[in-house]
C-alpha cells in the first residue's frame, strides 16, 4: 500500500496545477496518516510541505474563500485545513523549528467539534479558552474521534501561541539581550514564567474538557463490558501527546530563561527552575507508568515514539541541582526498554537476514 501511495504521489507531484483539488488534498492527508503510522518521518515532512502548499494556494486558511460555498463542502475544507495545521504544528514542536504557518493569517472557522463548544475561529479560541462557559454535556456527547480531534487542534494552537510569542520572539531571544541591565532581564524572565503559567492553565483546561480520553487511558479490559480496545488505544495516544506537550512547555521555558539569567540567580528564578524541573520529572514518571500498564505490546509500541521525546526531555532535565529520579523511575524505565528490546528481537526473528526494509 505504501509503495502504491508513493507511486501515485510521485506521478502527480509535478502536475499539481492539474491535480490540485480538495479530493487530492484529502488523499494527501490519508497518505500523511499512513506515513505517521509506519514512522516514515522523512517522507512525512516532504509530503506535508506539498499538502500545506496546496491548502494555502486553495485558501483553506482564509474565510474569504468560503463565501457562497455549500456548507458540506466548506466543512470538508475546514477539516482538511485543521488536520494539516495540527500535523504541521506537531512536527514543528517535535523537531524544534519555527512553524511555517502564521497564525495571524488563519481566520477560517474552526472545525465543527470546536464550534459546537462555542469557539468561532483561532483568535476567538485563544481569547476565551479560559473564560468561556460551556455545557459539559457537549464533550460527553462527542465521539472519541471528534473529542480527540478537538483536543489535538486545541493543543496545537496553544503550543503555537507559546512558540510564536515567547520561544521565537526576538524580544526574548535577541543576542542584544546580553548587554541589557539586570533589571530589564529579570523583567523579561518574569514575563516568560508568566506565559509558561498561562500555557499550563490553558492546557489544563483542555485536559478537563477531554477528561473522558484520560479516563479511557486508565481503563483495563478484563471482560466484554469494558471499554472497546480501539477507544483505549486512541485515548492512550492522545494522553501521550498531551504529556509530551506539557513537558515541552516547561522545558522550553527553562531553556529560554537560561539566556537571561543573572549570576547569582534571584530567589524567584531558583524557585521557578526547581518547580519546573520537578514537574517535568513528575510528567516523565507518570508517562512511564502509563506505558507499563498498557495491556498489549502493540499499544505500547505505537505510543513509544512520543514517550521517547518525553524521556529525552527528562534526561536533559536531570542534573545534580534538580535530580528527582527515584529507584522506581530507574526500574520502570529499564523494564520498559527491555520490553522494547524483546519485542524488536521477536519481530526480527520472522524476517530474512537480508530483508533490511522489514527489519
Amino acid at each position: 500500500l505504501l509503495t502504491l501511495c508513493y507511486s501515485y504521489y510521485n506521478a502527480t507531484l509535478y502536475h499539481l496545477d492539474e491535480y490540485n483539488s480538495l479530493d487530492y488534498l484529502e488523499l494527501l492527508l490519508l497518505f500523511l496518516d499512513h506515513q505517521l503510522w509506519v514512522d516514515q518521518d522523512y517522507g512525512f515532512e516532504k509530503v506535508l510541505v506539498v499538502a500545506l502548499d496546496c491548502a494555502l494556494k486553495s485558501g483553506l486558511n482564509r474565510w474569504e474563500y468560503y463565501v457562497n460555498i455549500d456548507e458540506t463542502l466548506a466543512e470538508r475544507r475546514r477539516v482538511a485545513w485543521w488536520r494539516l495545521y495540527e500535523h504541521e504544528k506537531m512536527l514543528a514542536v517535535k523537531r524544534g523549528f519555527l512553524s511555517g504557518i502564521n497564525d495571524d493569517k488563519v481566520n477560517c472557522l474552526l472545525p465543527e467539534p470546536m464550534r459546537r463548544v462555542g469557539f468561532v475561529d483561532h483568535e476567538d479560541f485563544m481569547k476565551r479558552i479560559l473564560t468561556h462557559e460551556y455545557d459539559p454535556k457537549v464533550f460527553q456527547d462527542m465521539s472519541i474521534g471528534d473529542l480527540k480531534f478537538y483536543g489535538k487542534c486545541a493543543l496545537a494552537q496553544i503550543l503555537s501561541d507559546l512558540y510564536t510569542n515567547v520561544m521565537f520572539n526576538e524580544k526574548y531571544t535577541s543576542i542584544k539581550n546580553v548587554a541589557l541591565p539586570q533589571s530589564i532581564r529579570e523583567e523579561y524572565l518574569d514575563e516568560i514564567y508568566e506565559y509558561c503559567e498561562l500555557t499550563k492553565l490553558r492546557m489544563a483546561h483542555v485536559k478537563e474538557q477531554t477528561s473522558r480520553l484520560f479516563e479511557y487511558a486508565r481503563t483495563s479490559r478484563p471482560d466484554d463490558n469494558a471499554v472497546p480496545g480501539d477507544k483505549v488505544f486512541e485515548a492512550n495516544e492522545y494522553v501521550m501527546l498531551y504529556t509530551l506537550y506539557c513537558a515541552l512547555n516547561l522545558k522550553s521555558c527553562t531553556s529560554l530563561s537560561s539566556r537571561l539569567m543573572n549570576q547569582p540567580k534571584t530567589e524567584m528564578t531558583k524557585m521557578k527552575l526547581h518547580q519546573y524541573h520537578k514537574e517535568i520529572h513528575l510528567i516523565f514518571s507518570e508517562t512511564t507508568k502509563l506505558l507499563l500498564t498498557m495491556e498489549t505490546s502493540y499499544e505500547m509500541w505505537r505510543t513509544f515514539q512520543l514517550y521517547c521525546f518525553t524521556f529525552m526531555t527528562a534526561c536533559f532535565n536531570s542534573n545534580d541541582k534538580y535530580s528527582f529520579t527515584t529507584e522506581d523511575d530507574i526500574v520502570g524505565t529499564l523494564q520498559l526498554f527491555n520490553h522494547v528490546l524483546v519485542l524488536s528481537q521477536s519481530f526480527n526473528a520472522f524476517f530474512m537476514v537480508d530483508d533490511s526494509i522489514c527489519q
Side-chain angles (χ1 to χ4, degrees), residues 206-330:
V206 174
K207 180 179 181 179
E208 179 184 337
Q209 294 171 334
T210 57
S211 58
R212 194 151 53 102
L213 292 173
F214 287 83
E215 292 171 5
Y216 286 160
R218 304 187 192 98
T219 302
S220 60
R221 289 164 287 171
D223 52 50
D224 295 336
N225 296 323
V227 178
D230 58 338
K231 291 185 177 181
V232 175
F233 174 77
E234 292 294 324
N236 283 335
E237 185 180 47
Y238 173 78
V239 170
M240 295 296 291
L241 182 66
Y242 177 87
T243 55
L244 169 61
Y245 282 174
C246 287
L248 287 176
N249 170 40
L250 298 167
K251 184 59 179 175
S252 298
C253 287
T254 57
S255 297
L256 180 58
S257 63
S258 65
R259 305 183 190 181
L260 297 167
M261 289 179 192
N262 296 292
Q263 296 297 338
K265 300 183 182 72
T266 64
E267 291 302 316
M268 173 61 75
T269 299
K270 291 179 181 178
M271 183 191 72
K272 285 296 184 182
L273 288 177
H274 185 274
Q275 174 191 338
Y276 291 163
H277 282 82
K278 189 173 184 178
E279 289 179 15
I280 291 173
H281 171 262
L282 181 61
I283 291 171
F284 159 69
S285 181
E286 293 299 319
T287 306
T288 303
K289 292 176 183 176
L290 175 60
L291 237 66
L292 288 173
T293 57
M294 291 183 183
E295 296 191 6
T296 65
S297 298
Y298 181 72
E299 285 179 300
M300 186 273 293
W301 181 265
R302 293 310 315 172
T303 55
F304 189 72
Q305 185 187 59
L306 292 173
Y307 170 80
C308 284
F309 283 102
T310 306
F311 172 76
M312 294 304 296
T313 301
C315 285
F316 286 118
N317 178 66
S318 299
N319 56 53
D320 293 337
K321 292 183 179 179
Y322 306 106
S323 180
F324 303 98
T325 307
T326 65
E327 184 177 325
D328 289 340
D329 293 327
I330 297 173

Side-chain angles (χ1 to χ4, degrees), residues 78-272:
R78 285 191 286 264
V79 169
W81 167 255
W82 287 106
R83 285 179 62 193
L84 275 174
Y85 179 94
E86 189 276 322
H87 279 322
E88 200 274 346
K89 296 298 182 179
M90 179 187 68
L91 182 66
V93 168
K94 288 167 64 176
R95 296 289 181 85
F97 55 68
L98 181 62
S99 168
I101 298 176
N102 183 351
D103 288 353
D104 291 335
K105 305 299 182 183
V106 178
N107 63 4
C108 66
L109 296 182
L110 292 167
E112 192 275 336
M114 302 194 78
R115 299 201 311 276
R116 203 186 314 169
V117 179
F119 300 115
V120 179
D121 55 22
H122 168 70
E123 183 180 6
D124 180 51
F125 172 76
M126 294 308 302
K127 283 182 178 179
R128 298 195 299 128
I129 177 62
L130 294 177
T131 60
H132 176 57
E133 296 183 3
Y134 59 89
D135 183 1
K137 192 174 184 299
V138 173
F139 293 101
Q140 292 299 322
D141 293 341
M142 280 188 191
S143 66
I144 292 299
D146 282 350
L147 189 60
K148 185 179 179 182
F149 186 35
Y150 173 92
K152 292 174 75 174
C153 281
L155 292 174
Q157 292 177 78
I158 292 170
L159 260 293
S160 178
D161 178 76
L162 172 73
Y163 275 57
T164 300
N165 292 310
V166 179
M167 297 300 118
F168 292 100
N169 189 334
E170 184 69 10
K171 176 180 179 180
Y172 305 116
T173 60
S174 174
I175 188 64
K176 298 176 183 177
N177 287 344
V178 297
L180 292 176
Q182 179 176 342
S183 59
I184 297 180
R185 282 192 284 167
E186 288 178 0
E187 181 180 328
Y188 285 0
L189 280 173
D190 290 340
E191 292 176 6
I192 292 173
Y193 296 143
E194 183 178 345
Y195 220 97
C196 182
E197 293 297 326
L198 175 62
T199 304
K200 284 167 58 179
L201 283 175
R202 287 170 169 172
M203 295 180 71
H205 207 65
V206 174
K207 180 179 181 179
E208 179 184 337
Q209 294 171 334
T210 57
S211 58
R212 194 151 53 102
L213 292 173
F214 287 83
E215 292 171 5
Y216 286 160
R218 304 187 192 98
T219 302
S220 60
R221 289 164 287 171
D223 52 50
D224 295 336
N225 296 323
V227 178
D230 58 338
K231 291 185 177 181
V232 175
F233 174 77
E234 292 294 324
N236 283 335
E237 185 180 47
Y238 173 78
V239 170
M240 295 296 291
L241 182 66
Y242 177 87
T243 55
L244 169 61
Y245 282 174
C246 287
L248 287 176
N249 170 40
L250 298 167
K251 184 59 179 175
S252 298
C253 287
T254 57
S255 297
L256 180 58
S257 63
S258 65
R259 305 183 190 181
L260 297 167
M261 289 179 192
N262 296 292
Q263 296 297 338
K265 300 183 182 72
T266 64
E267 291 302 316
M268 173 61 75
T269 299
K270 291 179 181 178
M271 183 191 72
K272 285 296 184 182

